[in-house]
Amino acid sequence: PGLTYFNECLSGPLKTALDAFKAARLFSPQNVNVMKPDSSVVDSLSVFPFLNDPSVIENLKLELPLYITKTTDINSDFCPLKWCKLHTSEIPEWRSTAAKVLLLQPSSTA
């Protein structure tokens, strides 16, 4: 009964929040270095209402290989926003989108 309730919550009322938390991992360069996501993972960002623009998702996909390359040799005490700011000229869409996503409250998906 407990597992059933847990599964129902994660596939029902908590699904959007869970999807948002999973998608937000893409904005931690350290996580990206470990995850090595492909362009299909970027589609998960459309869970955020302000990122449901196909052109933004496409631009993020185009910048993804360079983003992954830039995440190598990341210091463990880095700040994701400072890191993105350092790489603004190379990955502008990721920097702009990270600023929006990282402003969200942990209990909010919009």
Side-chain angles (χ1 to χ4, degrees), residues 34-109:
V34 173
M35 291 169 48
K36 303 284 192 241
D38 61 22
S39 62
S40 66
V41 176
V42 177
D43 290 326
S44 69
L45 294 173
S46 62
V47 71
F48 297 106
F50 54 87
L51 291 179
N52 60 6
D53 179 353
S55 67
V56 172
I57 299 296
E58 243 352 271
N59 288 336
L60 291 170
K61 287 179 180 181
L62 290 172
E63 292 179 4
L64 184 62
L66 182 58
Y67 179 36
I68 293 170
T69 301
K70 295 291 179 186
T71 62
T72 57
D73 301 326
I74 290 183
N75 194 330
S76 62
D77 62 342
F78 75 100
C79 170
L81 283 178
K82 287 181 182 177
W83 184 90
C84 284
K85 193 173 183 178
L86 285 172
H87 299 287
T88 297
S89 63
E90 301 156 308
I91 50 173
E93 198 71 50
W94 280 98
R95 195 269 187 233
S96 171
T97 307
K100 295 172 188 173
V101 170
L102 295 176
L103 284 173
L104 295 176
Q105 295 179 13
S107 61
S108 172
T109 59

